[in-house]
């Protein structure tokens, strides 16, 4: 039994690794290095092959990203190699053209242009034309660090993007996992994202006016989260007090919350007038996106809750056999109300994250997101029949879906095909769940 | 034990085949979705195109002409489909920033919420262009916008309505779509031309209802208004699906002889409806021109030239006589 469980856990992780490997292979592409190392090796190559001492140099790098740092590195390496740096241009193409023209007009000789890939492209196209007007440019040669092959999928920015993009779904999936372990379901989480975002933005707008402070931002975020927590509590209450199937209750709440979001927001996105609000959704701490750190923290907490506390054991017990759980003294109703409330709170948090990402409360946010959340839980190996499931399985499930999505975007698979693939992945996951149950 | 192993293996095979399936899909699509570099010529970079959705032929046409024009200049094109969801569109922009594309062309799914994603592209130094719909977020840098002159289009629609109603004028229903700024401009242009007739009472706008930009909502809104006004004489819908939804309701009521419909866009289904006499006229947009012009703007920006911030392409009125000559409909 234990062995089986371990095997199926490793199974999903193995799938994840295989997917990663596969996408790495299909996304291998030419990469153009920047930074200190690239600057150093470029200068070494150039100086070792031709006499350069004292020659004029133009450093030309596209503005943005790590462009400034790369340009500085190129310039200081040039100076160290005894070259004369005429100008360092970190700029858009318009500025690059101006820089070239001004050097051309000055009549200085320009044997070396050190550029990044974008500006090298620019020079290769434009230099022949410019040198007809400015003959001194005709001797100019462009040098750019040589390229190497590396999968786009495995670039650090891309991997962080995947984590960032799954964070909202994964965080809500924590609550959904608990609900599904109790053999319930919550269809309202997508609408709650919109509801929370709109409430947050509206509260910030009404207390903060045109210039909301950080306190106002926190106040707004708490209002959004608490509002969704209360809705979750209401859902849990309906499910336990009247025994209405969770599917029906949450379907109703889904429509109500979506409609209310549009009414409250007057059908238009609600702006938050303080750009600091984007800190949660787009900010970084120690090089990691805040949303990813938050996701990691919540998963650890949820894992501890499910494995180390009596609440966790109660949740499994309620899902396994509610009658037996009740007879052995588990407060079944309170456990149910707890999981629905928690899921509401997490959906509210997801809504705040989403609103923060766009610095706007959007009543259209989170459309159909409930299905992605449920998919993450199911792919992660939680049984829809209840009683079984792992918090970290859900994280792996969310990662699998995120990796497939990202990989398909990188390889340019069109949207309808993507939808087919998600569907097939979910079907396979449910099939495996069924077959596992049969064997037992 | 063996059974478990068997299951796991089949699960893996299933998932890997899913992956191979989409990997294959990717390669199959290159012919269609991204124009590869021409033989012997190294690709100069990738232009990413993210419209509202590719399932709307209008955006597909823009994309195809964009990709053809980009290919001529030595660029590849990646087409993304955010399915009208701004969160998906933001994620896709993040993906292509990581991929270090040469330029991004957007039809913003939301004119405000897309702001932070565009800022991220600005920060990474990737030039952003918009086509069809503009971005209204603050503090973003859009190099250039190419779109339709929607106000002028609305004016043409107004002229066509006056002409269609003739001497007697009559009651008009407007099917709008206020979420999209372009559609708001169309209705404004429409009303401006109608103004003298509205004042004299010859033409009366009885209602402005949301069309959702689709057939279903337009059908329902029109059906309701047909009940309320037995003497309705005209319908102006802000796009072709809206006009066709209205036609279904009018046909059901058997009143197609007495009610004239003006649409907008000039998509193929709209043009066919004009040819068949279901719709009186459309101010038509020129998606092909948009795709070509946006590439021109990208190329001149990359060549270091100053580019126009906004280029509006005027619409032209398309009526039955035009449809009968149209080679696209032969």
């Amino acid at each position: 039994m234990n062995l089986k469980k371990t095997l199926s856990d490793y199974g999903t992780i193995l799938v994840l690794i295989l997917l990663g490997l596969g996408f790495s292979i299909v996304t291998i592409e030419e990469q153009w290095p920047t930074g200190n190392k690239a600057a150093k090796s470029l200068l070494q190559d150039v100086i070792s092959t031709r006499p350069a001492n004292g020659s004029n140099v133009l450093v030309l790098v596209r503005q943005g990203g790590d462009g400034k740092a790369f340009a500085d590195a190129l310039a200081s390496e040039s100076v160290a190699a005894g070259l004369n740096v005429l100008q360092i241009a970190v700029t858009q193409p318009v500025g690059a053209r101006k820089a070239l023209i001004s050097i051309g007009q000055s009549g200085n000789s320009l044997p070396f242009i050190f550029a990044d890939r974008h500006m090298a492209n620019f020079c290769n196209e434009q230099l022949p034309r410019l040198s007809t007007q400015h003959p001194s440019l005709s001797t100019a040669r462009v040098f750019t660090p040589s390229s190497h092959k590396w999968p786009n999928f495995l670039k650090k920015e891309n991997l962080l993007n995947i984590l960032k993009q799954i964070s909202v779904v994964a965080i809500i999936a924590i609550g959904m996992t608990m609900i599904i372990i109790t053999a319930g379901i919550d269809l309202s989480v997508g609408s709650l994202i919109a509801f929370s975002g709109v409430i947050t933005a509206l509260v910030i707008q009404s207390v903060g006016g045109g210039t909301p402070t950080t306190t106002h931002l926190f106040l707004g975020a708490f209002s959004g989260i608490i509002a969704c927590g209360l809705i979750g509590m209401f859902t849990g209450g309906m499910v336990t007090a009247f025994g209405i199937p969770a599917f029906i209750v949450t379907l109703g709440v889904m429509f109500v919350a979506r409609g209310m979001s549009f009414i409250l927001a007057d059908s238009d996105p609600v702006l938050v007038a303080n750009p600091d609000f984007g800190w949660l959704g787009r900010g970084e701490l120690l090089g990691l996106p805040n949303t990813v750190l938050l996701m990691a923290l919540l998963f650890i907490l949820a894992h501890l809750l499910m494995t180390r506390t009596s609440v966790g054991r109660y949740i499994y017990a309620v899902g396994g056999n509610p009658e037996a759980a009740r007879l052995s003294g588990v407060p079944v109703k309170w456990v149910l109300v707890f999981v629905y409330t928690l899921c509401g709170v997490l959906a509210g948090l997801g809504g705040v994250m989403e609103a923060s990402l766009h610095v706007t409360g959007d009543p259209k946010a989170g459309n159909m997101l409930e299905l992605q959340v449920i998919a993450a839980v199911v792919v992660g190996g939680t049984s829809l029949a209840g009683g079984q499931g792992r918090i970290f399985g859900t994280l792996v499930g969310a990662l699998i879906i995120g990796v497939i999505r990202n990989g398909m975007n990188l390889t340019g698979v069109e949207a309808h095909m993507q939808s087919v693939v998600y569907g097939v992945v979910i079907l396979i996951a449910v099939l495996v769940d069924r077959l596992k149950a049969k064997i037992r | 034990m063996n059974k478990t192993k068997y299951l796991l293996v089949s699960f893996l095979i299933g998932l890997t085949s899913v992956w191979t399936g989409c990997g294959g899909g990717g390669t199959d699509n290159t012919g269609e979705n991204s124009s590869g570099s021409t033989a012997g010529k190294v690709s100069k970079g990738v232009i990413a195109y993210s419209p509202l959705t590719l399932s709307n032929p209008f955006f597909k046409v823009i994309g195809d002409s964009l990709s053809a024009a980009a290919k001529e200049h030595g660029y590849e094109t990646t087409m993304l489909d955010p399915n009208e969801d701004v969160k998906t569109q933001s994620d896709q922009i993040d993906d292509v920033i990581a991929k270090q594309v040469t330029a991004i062309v957007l039809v913003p799914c939301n004119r405000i919420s897309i702001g932070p994603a565009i800022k991220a592209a600005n920060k990474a130094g990737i030039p952003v262009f918009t086509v069809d719909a503009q971005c209204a977020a603050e503090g973003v840098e859009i190099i250039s916008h190419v779109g339709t002159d929607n106000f002028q289009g609305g004016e043409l629609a107004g002229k066509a309505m006056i002409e269609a109603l003739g001497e007697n004028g009559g009651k008009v229903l407007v099917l709008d779509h206020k979420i999209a700024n372009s559609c708001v401009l169309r209705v404004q242009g429409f009303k401006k031309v109608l103004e003298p007739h509205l004042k004299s009472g010859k033409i009366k706008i009885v209602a402005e209802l949301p069309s959702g930009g689709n057939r279903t909502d337009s059908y329902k809104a029109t059906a309701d208004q047909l009940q309320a006004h037995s003497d309705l004489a005209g319908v102006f819908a802000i796009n072709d699906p809206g006009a066709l939804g209205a036609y279904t309701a009018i046909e059901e009521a058997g009143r197609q002889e007495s009610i004239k419909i003006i649409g907008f866009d000039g998509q193929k289904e709209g043009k066919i409806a004009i040819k068949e006499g279901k719709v009186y006229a459309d101010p038509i947009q020129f998606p092909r021109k948009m795709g070509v012009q946006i590439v021109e703007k990208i190329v001149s920006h990359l060549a270091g030239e100053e580019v126009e911030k906004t280029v509006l392409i005027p619409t032209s009125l398309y009526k039955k006589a035009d449809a009968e000559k149209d080679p696209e409909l032969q």
Side-chain angles (χ1 to χ4, degrees), chain B residues 173 175 217-227 235 245-246 249-250:
Chain B
L173 164 68
L175 295 171
D217 291 355
S218 305
Y219 164 77
K220 290 180 192 157
T222 311
D224 293 344
Q225 285 295 310
L226 288 174
Q227 297 301 319
V235 176
I250 292 167

Side-chain angles (χ1 to χ4, degrees), chain B residues 178-238:
Chain B
K178 286 190 173 141
I179 299 174
N181 194 39
S182 54
C183 300
V184 174
L185 287 171
R186 289 172 196 176
V187 175
Q188 283 172 357
F190 180 77
K191 283 191 195 160
K192 191 194 155 209
V193 167
L194 250 52
E195 206 170 73
H197 299 275
L198 294 175
K199 274 191 184 141
S200 71
K202 192 172 119 185
I203 295 176
K204 193 178 168 213
I205 294 179
V206 288
E208 293 175 46
L209 297 176
S211 71
N214 61 53
R215 284 190 190 223
T216 318
D217 291 355
S218 305
Y219 164 77
K220 290 180 192 157
T222 311
D224 293 344
Q225 285 295 310
L226 288 174
Q227 297 301 319
H229 302 282
S230 57
D231 52 349
L232 195 72
V235 176
F236 169 48
I238 47 71

Side-chain angles (χ1 to χ4, degrees), chain A residues 107-119:
Chain A
N108 285 331
S109 78
L110 183 66
F112 297 109
I113 299 174
F114 294 139
D116 66 348
R117 173 179 68 119
H118 308 285
M119 287 302 165

